[in-house]
PDB file of all heavy atoms in Angstrom:
ATOM      1  N   MET A 316     111.900  77.647  99.129  1.00 98.00           N
ATOM      2  CA  MET A 316     111.213  76.753 100.036  1.00 98.00           C
ATOM      3  C   MET A 316     112.234  75.923 100.833  1.00 98.00           C
ATOM      4  O   MET A 316     113.163  75.369 100.271  1.00 98.00           O
ATOM      5  CB  MET A 316     110.304  75.795  99.261  1.00 98.00           C
ATOM      6  CG  MET A 316     109.217  76.503  98.465  1.00 98.00           C
ATOM      7  SD  MET A 316     109.827  77.124  96.867  1.00 98.00           S
ATOM      8  CE  MET A 316     109.591  75.688  95.856  1.00 98.00           C
ATOM      9  N   LEU A 396     118.425  66.740  87.308  1.00 98.00           N
ATOM     10  CA  LEU A 396     117.045  67.053  87.695  1.00 98.00           C
ATOM     11  C   LEU A 396     116.212  67.165  86.433  1.00 98.00           C
ATOM     12  O   LEU A 396     116.527  67.982  85.554  1.00 98.00           O
ATOM     13  CB  LEU A 396     117.012  68.389  88.482  1.00 98.00           C
ATOM     14  CG  LEU A 396     118.023  68.464  89.629  1.00 98.00           C
ATOM     15  CD1 LEU A 396     117.900  69.815  90.340  1.00 98.00           C
ATOM     16  CD2 LEU A 396     117.832  67.320  90.614  1.00 98.00           C
ATOM     17  N   TRP A 405     108.427  64.355  88.346  1.00 97.00           N
ATOM     18  CA  TRP A 405     109.701  65.052  88.473  1.00 97.00           C
ATOM     19  C   TRP A 405     110.746  64.013  88.885  1.00 97.00           C
ATOM     20  O   TRP A 405     110.488  63.206  89.775  1.00 97.00           O
ATOM     21  CB  TRP A 405     109.599  66.165  89.513  1.00 97.00           C
ATOM     22  CG  TRP A 405     108.672  67.278  89.106  1.00 97.00           C
ATOM     23  CD1 TRP A 405     107.362  67.390  89.402  1.00 97.00           C
ATOM     24  CD2 TRP A 405     109.014  68.395  88.276  1.00 97.00           C
ATOM     25  NE1 TRP A 405     106.850  68.535  88.824  1.00 97.00           N
ATOM     26  CE2 TRP A 405     107.836  69.176  88.135  1.00 97.00           C
ATOM     27  CE3 TRP A 405     110.200  68.836  87.663  1.00 97.00           C
ATOM     28  CZ2 TRP A 405     107.807  70.353  87.392  1.00 97.00           C
ATOM     29  CZ3 TRP A 405     110.169  70.017  86.935  1.00 97.00           C
ATOM     30  CH2 TRP A 405     108.976  70.770  86.808  1.00 97.00           C
ATOM     31  N   THR A 434     115.501  71.306  83.655  1.00 96.00           N
ATOM     32  CA  THR A 434     114.105  71.735  83.564  1.00 96.00           C
ATOM     33  C   THR A 434     114.065  73.257  83.547  1.00 96.00           C
ATOM     34  O   THR A 434     115.051  73.930  83.796  1.00 96.00           O
ATOM     35  CB  THR A 434     113.256  71.235  84.764  1.00 96.00           C
ATOM     36  OG1 THR A 434     113.528  72.070  85.902  1.00 96.00           O
ATOM     37  CG2 THR A 434     113.569  69.790  85.105  1.00 96.00           C
ATOM     38  N   MET A 436     112.243  75.019  85.586  1.00 97.00           N
ATOM     39  CA  MET A 436     111.885  75.525  86.921  1.00 97.00           C
ATOM     40  C   MET A 436     113.069  75.421  87.863  1.00 97.00           C
ATOM     41  O   MET A 436     113.933  74.562  87.689  1.00 97.00           O
ATOM     42  CB  MET A 436     110.714  74.752  87.504  1.00 97.00           C
ATOM     43  CG  MET A 436     109.418  74.933  86.744  1.00 97.00           C
ATOM     44  SD  MET A 436     108.015  74.184  87.621  1.00 97.00           S
ATOM     45  CE  MET A 436     107.774  75.354  88.941  1.00 97.00           C
ATOM     46  N   PHE A 437     113.106  76.296  88.882  1.00 98.00           N
ATOM     47  CA  PHE A 437     114.150  76.152  89.908  1.00 98.00           C
ATOM     48  C   PHE A 437     113.720  75.055  90.884  1.00 98.00           C
ATOM     49  O   PHE A 437     112.532  74.782  91.063  1.00 98.00           O
ATOM     50  CB  PHE A 437     114.358  77.486  90.653  1.00 98.00           C
ATOM     51  CG  PHE A 437     113.300  77.817  91.678  1.00 98.00           C
ATOM     52  CD1 PHE A 437     113.496  77.504  93.012  1.00 98.00           C
ATOM     53  CD2 PHE A 437     112.128  78.437  91.306  1.00 98.00           C
ATOM     54  CE1 PHE A 437     112.537  77.805  93.974  1.00 98.00           C
ATOM     55  CE2 PHE A 437     111.147  78.734  92.250  1.00 98.00           C
ATOM     56  CZ  PHE A 437     111.352  78.408  93.581  1.00 98.00           C
ATOM     57  N   HIS A 438     114.731  74.431  91.509  1.00 98.00           N
ATOM     58  CA  HIS A 438     114.466  73.384  92.507  1.00 98.00           C
ATOM     59  C   HIS A 438     115.321  73.648  93.740  1.00 98.00           C
ATOM     60  O   HIS A 438     116.556  73.637  93.652  1.00 98.00           O
ATOM     61  CB  HIS A 438     114.783  72.010  91.936  1.00 98.00           C
ATOM     62  CG  HIS A 438     114.027  71.688  90.683  1.00 98.00           C
ATOM     63  ND1 HIS A 438     112.691  71.402  90.667  1.00 98.00           N
ATOM     64  CD2 HIS A 438     114.418  71.680  89.375  1.00 98.00           C
ATOM     65  CE1 HIS A 438     112.288  71.209  89.424  1.00 98.00           C
ATOM     66  NE2 HIS A 438     113.303  71.389  88.623  1.00 98.00           N
ATOM     67  N   PRO A 439     114.685  73.878  94.895  1.00 98.00           N
ATOM     68  CA  PRO A 439     115.445  74.014  96.159  1.00 98.00           C
ATOM     69  C   PRO A 439     115.776  72.608  96.695  1.00 98.00           C
ATOM     70  O   PRO A 439     114.925  71.946  97.262  1.00 98.00           O
ATOM     71  CB  PRO A 439     114.472  74.767  97.086  1.00 98.00           C
ATOM     72  CG  PRO A 439     113.106  74.526  96.535  1.00 98.00           C
ATOM     73  CD  PRO A 439     113.244  74.127  95.087  1.00 98.00           C
ATOM     74  N   MET A 440     117.037  72.198  96.483  1.00 98.00           N
ATOM     75  CA  MET A 440     117.411  70.824  96.807  1.00 98.00           C
ATOM     76  C   MET A 440     117.890  70.758  98.265  1.00 98.00           C
ATOM     77  O   MET A 440     118.768  71.509  98.683  1.00 98.00           O
ATOM     78  CB  MET A 440     118.501  70.337  95.862  1.00 98.00           C
ATOM     79  CG  MET A 440     118.049  70.294  94.399  1.00 98.00           C
ATOM     80  SD  MET A 440     116.570  69.267  94.098  1.00 98.00           S
ATOM     81  CE  MET A 440     117.222  67.637  94.480  1.00 98.00           C
ATOM     82  N   CYS A 486     113.922  67.639  96.281  1.00 98.00           N
ATOM     83  CA  CYS A 486     113.437  68.988  96.018  1.00 98.00           C
ATOM     84  C   CYS A 486     112.464  69.392  97.106  1.00 98.00           C
ATOM     85  O   CYS A 486     111.556  68.618  97.453  1.00 98.00           O
ATOM     86  CB  CYS A 486     112.752  69.033  94.656  1.00 98.00           C
ATOM     87  SG  CYS A 486     112.106  70.694  94.276  1.00 98.00           S
ATOM     88  N   HIS A 487     112.607  70.621  97.639  1.00 98.00           N
ATOM     89  CA  HIS A 487     111.704  71.059  98.706  1.00 98.00           C
ATOM     90  C   HIS A 487     110.480  71.780  98.162  1.00 98.00           C
ATOM     91  O   HIS A 487     109.695  72.352  98.925  1.00 98.00           O
ATOM     92  CB  HIS A 487     112.433  71.923  99.734  1.00 98.00           C
ATOM     93  CG  HIS A 487     112.042  71.559 101.123  1.00 98.00           C
ATOM     94  ND1 HIS A 487     110.846  71.981 101.706  1.00 98.00           N
ATOM     95  CD2 HIS A 487     112.627  70.774 102.054  1.00 98.00           C
ATOM     96  CE1 HIS A 487     110.753  71.487 102.927  1.00 98.00           C
ATOM     97  NE2 HIS A 487     111.822  70.758 103.177  1.00 98.00           N
ATOM     98  N   ASN A 488     110.284  71.759  96.847  1.00 98.00           N
ATOM     99  CA  ASN A 488     108.948  72.010  96.332  1.00 98.00           C
ATOM    100  C   ASN A 488     108.161  70.744  96.654  1.00 98.00           C
ATOM    101  O   ASN A 488     108.469  69.670  96.085  1.00 98.00           O
ATOM    102  CB  ASN A 488     108.970  72.290  94.829  1.00 98.00           C
ATOM    103  CG  ASN A 488     107.594  72.597  94.291  1.00 98.00           C
ATOM    104  OD1 ASN A 488     106.628  71.890  94.598  1.00 98.00           O
ATOM    105  ND2 ASN A 488     107.487  73.627  93.462  1.00 98.00           N
ATOM    106  N   VAL A 489     107.203  70.829  97.565  1.00 98.00           N
ATOM    107  CA  VAL A 489     106.564  69.610  98.063  1.00 98.00           C
ATOM    108  C   VAL A 489     105.827  68.876  96.943  1.00 98.00           C
ATOM    109  O   VAL A 489     105.766  67.634  96.927  1.00 98.00           O
ATOM    110  CB  VAL A 489     105.605  69.954  99.210  1.00 98.00           C
ATOM    111  CG1 VAL A 489     104.967  68.679  99.781  1.00 98.00           C
ATOM    112  CG2 VAL A 489     106.344  70.679 100.313  1.00 98.00           C
ATOM    113  N   TYR A 490     105.312  69.639  95.973  1.00 98.00           N
ATOM    114  CA  TYR A 490     104.632  69.012  94.840  1.00 98.00           C
ATOM    115  C   TYR A 490     105.619  68.252  93.966  1.00 98.00           C
ATOM    116  O   TYR A 490     105.328  67.135  93.517  1.00 98.00           O
ATOM    117  CB  TYR A 490     103.877  70.078  94.040  1.00 98.00           C
ATOM    118  CG  TYR A 490     102.692  70.636  94.821  1.00 98.00           C
ATOM    119  CD1 TYR A 490     102.853  71.656  95.752  1.00 98.00           C
ATOM    120  CD2 TYR A 490     101.417  70.109  94.652  1.00 98.00           C
ATOM    121  CE1 TYR A 490     101.786  72.145  96.498  1.00 98.00           C
ATOM    122  CE2 TYR A 490     100.331  70.583  95.389  1.00 98.00           C
ATOM    123  CZ  TYR A 490     100.528  71.604  96.303  1.00 98.00           C
ATOM    124  OH  TYR A 490      99.456  72.072  97.032  1.00 98.00           O
ATOM    125  N   HIS A 491     106.816  68.827  93.762  1.00 98.00           N
ATOM    126  CA  HIS A 491     107.827  68.116  92.984  1.00 98.00           C
ATOM    127  C   HIS A 491     108.331  66.888  93.745  1.00 98.00           C
ATOM    128  O   HIS A 491     108.518  65.816  93.155  1.00 98.00           O
ATOM    129  CB  HIS A 491     109.034  69.023  92.718  1.00 98.00           C
ATOM    130  CG  HIS A 491     108.739  70.192  91.808  1.00 98.00           C
ATOM    131  ND1 HIS A 491     109.695  71.065  91.390  1.00 98.00           N
ATOM    132  CD2 HIS A 491     107.572  70.595  91.242  1.00 98.00           C
ATOM    133  CE1 HIS A 491     109.158  71.987  90.601  1.00 98.00           C
ATOM    134  NE2 HIS A 491     107.874  71.720  90.512  1.00 98.00           N
ATOM    135  N   GLY A 492     108.567  67.042  95.052  1.00 98.00           N
ATOM    136  CA  GLY A 492     109.084  65.923  95.834  1.00 98.00           C
ATOM    137  C   GLY A 492     108.111  64.755  95.807  1.00 98.00           C
ATOM    138  O   GLY A 492     108.469  63.601  95.581  1.00 98.00           O
ATOM    139  N   MET A 496     110.672  63.757  92.837  1.00 98.00           N
ATOM    140  CA  MET A 496     112.026  64.346  92.851  1.00 98.00           C
ATOM    141  C   MET A 496     112.698  64.156  94.222  1.00 98.00           C
ATOM    142  O   MET A 496     112.953  65.128  94.941  1.00 98.00           O
ATOM    143  CB  MET A 496     111.967  65.808  92.422  1.00 98.00           C
ATOM    144  CG  MET A 496     113.333  66.388  92.039  1.00 98.00           C
ATOM    145  SD  MET A 496     113.209  68.050  91.378  1.00 98.00           S
ATOM    146  CE  MET A 496     113.232  67.723  89.628  1.00 98.00           C
TER     147      MET A 496
HETATM  148 CU1  LIG B   1     111.543  71.033  92.297  1.00 97.58          CU
END
Side-chain angles (χ1 to χ4, degrees):
M316 299 81 87
L396 310 180
W405 294 94
T434 79
M436 294 188 74
F437 77 96
H438 303 287
M440 298 303 294
C486 179
H487 223 281
N488 182 314
V489 183
Y490 291 83
H491 293 183
M496 195 173 263

